[in-house]
Amino acid sequence: MAKKAEIGQGAEPARGGRRADAQRNLDALLRAGVEVFAESGVDAPMREIAARAGSGSAPCTGTSRSART
């Protein structure tokens, strides 16, 4: 039987009940948001935040489960 880490690497729950990879993505989006808002103000486009975080725009626009809860 394979070890759990070999099967689902990066899929372990992190803080807040999120998978570790989802938490890393959220952290990257939050860091990018702080940087972009500091540079561009509150009118900064979400696509710029997503691009800086290396993410698609879906996590920024409320299409993720955590954004609706």
Side-chain angles (χ1 to χ4, degrees), residues 32-49 52:
V34 168
E35 293 171 3
V36 172
F37 285 130
E39 295 168 8
S40 303
V42 297
D43 293 325
M46 297 300 269
R47 66 183 173 277
E48 186 176 338
I49 296 169
R52 189 169 300 190

Side-chain angles (χ1 to χ4, degrees), residues 20-44:
D21 58 331
Q23 186 63 52
R24 283 191 300 274
N25 292 341
L26 177 60
D27 292 343
L29 283 168
L30 292 174
R31 279 193 304 275
V34 168
E35 293 171 3
V36 172
F37 285 130
E39 295 168 8
S40 303
V42 297
D43 293 325

Side-chain angles (χ1 to χ4, degrees), residues 3-26:
K3 292 180 183 177
K4 191 173 188 176
E6 294 172 357
I7 295 170
Q9 260 184 344
E12 295 299 314
R15 64 180 181 243
R18 290 183 191 90
R19 292 186 341 235
D21 58 331
Q23 186 63 52
R24 283 191 300 274
N25 292 341
L26 177 60

